[in-house]
Amino acid sequence: MPEETFVIAGASLAGAKAAETLREEGFTGRLLLIGDEIERPYERPPLSKGFLLDKEPREKAHVHEADWYEKHDVELRAGVSVASIDRDAHQVRLSTKEPIGYAKLLLATGASPRRLEVPGSKLQGIHYLRTMGDSAALKQALMHGGRRVVVAGAGWIGLETAAAARTHGNDVTIIEPEPTPLHAALGPELGGVFADLHREHGVDLRLDQGVAGFWGAGQVSAVVTSGGAEVPADVVIVGIGARPNTRLAEEAGLDVSDGILVDASLRTSDPDIYAAGDVANAYNPLLGRRIRVEHWANALNGGPAAARAMLGQDVSYDRVPYFFSDQYDLGMEMSGVASPGEYDEVVYRGDVPGREFIAFWLSGGRVVAGMNVNVWDVTGDVQALIRSGRPVDTARLADPGVPLADLA
């Protein structure tokens, strides 16, 4: 296929891994990887973990060595974005006004942080976390300690940045409108585990209240809660979720609903355009429904899956959603979907108070999600349980003496 041009819009992890896979699978045509950041493609977990904690260098986050793109004849256009798509002409136009024709196009444009639109939201000292630059600025604000840090939102980003702020020696308050942290992701049972964890590390956790506004003269000095309390703040971190970057797809007339709608092969409503990573709302054959996953593993695996589909291979992207987190001395891996309404029972195996356990979410007697906390090398078995779709004996599931492999 030497005459073909493939374009990847979004120099993200998904985009970079797609480019890598295209070359590994023998694509010899022109290949462009276009991203609006000056930084070459990188992974995002270090931004709220190792890099933010000042335990890992910036370079460790990069997907490839700096010379990889040239060596593999990948045209990396950093600091440039795809401005528009002309589907009829099979052409994209870049922010530089340059038109580029394509045979296949992959949209890996990711997501952007949801913004708090409240009084005072433009004050200095209010941080959002999405890019390497965001993380570097936040690390600079936190790493010397002694600051009053307020975190809006007790989701994964909020909790991980709160843990980093405490580790750097700052006073931390978390404000969360739900009754527990991670309520939408885990439900109240496991949310309580994370509430206890942060309180034990000195975090002031204020639940069932949101952020109504910010005070300050140029620089933020306080956060006003929905209950009317004023919480002093030198640094504010907002982690209230993300929105998929669908503008390009919408303007091009592709089907969009909470992300770009794609089938099990990650193909959009246009047969020559694909989408992967945070921006894709994909049909998952294993789950039997659409799901949009914003986590690292989805970008890592979705990019290569889309690349193979672009080459005409038979692809059915049916991976079990996976996520990991590190907070203080707690490390965890999460497989499956455990949002409220997705399960009717939680079964525990191990020492929950000691935070060395596995939690299983069940629906109709079948495991739909599992989280191992400070227990390792079990993700494969947990995912096998989910994939099997078989009813399980909950007594055996809770018994550490019964190998998980025997239950799948």
Side-chain angles (χ1 to χ4, degrees):
M1 294 174 285
E3 73 287 354
E4 290 191 314
T5 295
F6 282 12
V7 173
I8 301 172
S12 56
L13 173 60
K17 297 302 286 187
E20 177 184 307
T21 302
L22 286 168
R23 288 305 189 217
E24 287 178 346
E25 294 288 327
F27 178 68
T28 57
R30 187 184 183 195
L31 180 54
L32 293 94
L33 179 58
I34 301 164
D36 55 6
E37 291 188 60
I38 298 298
E39 197 95 24
R40 72 181 186 272
Y42 56 85
E43 302 187 11
R44 298 193 188 278
L47 306 190
S48 59
K49 299 180 177 73
F51 178 70
L52 186 61
L53 287 163
D54 204 31
K55 292 181 178 179
E56 297 176 358
R58 189 186 195 106
E59 292 72 25
K60 188 173 180 180
H62 290 128
V63 181
H64 300 112
E65 297 295 328
D67 61 354
W68 182 91
Y69 301 94
E70 183 177 1
K71 285 182 176 179
H72 291 82
D73 196 22
V74 175
E75 297 179 42
L76 176 59
R77 302 285 188 92
V80 178
S81 61
V82 172
S84 62
I85 304 167
D86 184 335
R87 291 167 55 195
D88 292 334
H90 271 63
Q91 187 179 88
V92 298
R93 185 170 294 275
L94 306 187
S95 55
T96 58
K97 309 301 183 184
E98 178 187 358
I100 297 174
Y102 66 84
K104 302 289 183 183
L105 170 64
L106 173 62
L107 301 177
T109 48
S112 297
R114 293 181 183 274
R115 300 276 164 171
L116 262 178
E117 301 296 339
V118 296
S121 61
K122 305 301 183 185
L123 290 170
Q124 296 297 308
I126 300 174
H127 295 258
Y128 292 82
L129 183 58
R130 181 65 185 178
T131 69
M132 180 69 77
D134 294 338
S135 183
L138 182 56
K139 179 167 69 171
Q140 184 62 35
L142 299 177
M143 65 184 301
H144 300 297
R147 312 295 297 279
R148 298 169 301 179
V149 178
V150 175
V151 180
W156 294 115
I157 291 295
L159 294 186
E160 289 182 358
T161 55
R166 283 297 294 143
T167 301
H168 283 305
N170 300 282
D171 294 329
V172 177
T173 300
I174 298 176
I175 300 172
E176 167 57 49
E178 295 288 353
T180 65
L182 302 167
H183 190 81
L186 303 180
E189 299 88 354
L190 272 295
V193 170
F194 286 89
D196 292 343
L197 171 71
H198 281 265
R199 285 183 174 127
E200 288 176 16
H201 283 84
V203 173
D204 180 3
L205 190 59
R206 304 193 184 191
L207 301 172
D208 291 311
Q209 53 190 305
V211 172
F214 303 101
W215 289 112
Q219 172 75 28
V220 67
S221 60
V223 178
V224 182
T225 73
S226 56
E230 293 186 20
V231 184
D234 304 306
V235 178
V236 172
I237 305 167
V238 179
I240 57 171
R243 289 189 176 94
N245 294 327
T246 58
R247 179 193 62 81
L248 268 179
E250 290 177 33
E251 293 179 355
L254 299 175
D255 291 346
V256 171
S257 178
D258 184 32
I260 303 171
L261 298 182
V262 295
D263 62 18
S265 66
L266 304 182
R267 183 185 288 109
T268 72
S269 51
D270 183 313
D272 292 326
I273 302 178
Y274 297 74
D278 294 5
V279 76
N281 188 349
Y283 180 78
N284 185 308
L286 176 67
L287 302 179
R289 61 181 174 86
R290 292 190 174 279
I291 185 170
R292 190 172 68 82
V293 180
E294 295 179 349
H295 301 315
W296 162 85
N298 184 48
L300 181 72
N301 297 297
R308 295 185 178 98
M310 292 165 75
L311 293 172
Q313 297 180 22
D314 185 15
V315 171
S316 181
Y317 188 64
D318 65 348
R319 299 187 70 91
V320 175
Y322 169 87
F323 176 72
F324 72 97
S325 182
D326 299 304
Q327 300 169 37
Y328 311 110
D329 56 353
L330 184 151
M332 58 74 71
E333 296 174 291
M334 177 79 186
S335 299
V337 180
S339 304
E342 301 282 346
Y343 65 93
D344 49 41
E345 183 181 7
V346 180
V347 174
Y348 301 93
R349 168 185 289 224
D351 181 6
V352 178
R355 299 195 187 103
E356 192 169 320
F357 66 92
I358 309 173
F360 301 93
W361 288 260
L362 283 76
S363 177
R366 296 168 172 81
V367 176
V368 295
M371 182 171 73
N372 45 298
V373 175
N374 292 332
V375 175
W376 306 110
D377 301 321
V378 296
T379 296
D381 290 333
V382 172
Q383 294 204 1
L385 274 172
I386 297 169
R387 297 192 74 89
S388 75
R390 298 192 190 100
V392 296
D393 181 330
T394 55
R396 298 184 73 212
L397 185 64
D399 185 353
V402 178
L404 290 178
D406 290 355
L407 300 173

